[in-house]
Amino acid sequence: MSEYSERDVQREVTDLEGKSATAARLFDIRRIIGGLFVLYGVIVMIAGFTASDAAIRKAEGVNINLWTGLGMLLLGLFFLAWLKLRPTVPPPSDALPEDERPDERPSQ
């Protein structure tokens, strides 16, 4: 039966906290929403650039795909800029409830 020392447990907890913070940043909802809006915005803008005169007349003279695509692109870029300027930070370890904190007493 192998026994772990306090140092081994602390190292493992630190590694898991680092992986958790990386996963939280990777799957931040702002990244997903921003990326999808940028992608769809570019696709809709391409449809707007290739719109026929009949399609523009049908929309009362407004190239709706071009303007909608531009709006989607700007919204997606806003989300990605927000992610870059205000990244998520993991909560400090002292923010954990008392019963979830690791035992900080020295081992005997």
Side-chain angles (χ1 to χ4, degrees):
M1 177 161 82
S2 70
E3 195 170 311
Y4 293 103
S5 70
E6 184 68 27
R7 181 175 291 177
D8 292 337
V9 172
Q10 275 305 102
R11 188 177 323 120
E12 187 69 26
V13 167
T14 303
D15 289 345
L16 289 175
E17 285 175 345
K19 289 177 183 177
S20 175
T22 301
R25 282 191 301 273
L26 182 63
F27 295 109
D28 190 342
I29 193 73
R30 296 173 294 180
R31 180 183 312 268
I32 297 167
I33 291 173
L36 285 174
F37 267 99
V38 166
L39 177 68
Y40 293 148
V42 168
I43 292 170
V44 173
M45 280 182 66
I46 290 172
F49 286 133
T50 61
S52 66
D53 290 336
I56 294 173
R57 275 194 306 274
K58 189 176 180 180
E60 298 183 10
V62 176
N63 192 340
I64 194 71
N65 284 337
L66 184 64
W67 288 107
T68 303
L70 181 64
M72 292 173 75
L73 181 66
L74 291 175
L75 182 64
L77 291 175
F78 166 75
F79 271 95
L80 294 176
W82 180 22
L83 177 69
K84 187 74 171 172
L85 295 173
R86 301 275 310 223
T88 56
V89 288
S93 62
D94 52 332
L96 293 174
E98 191 67 36
D99 58 340
E100 293 181 17
R101 289 186 187 169
D103 190 15
E104 296 176 0
R105 290 177 291 174
S107 59
Q108 297 177 10

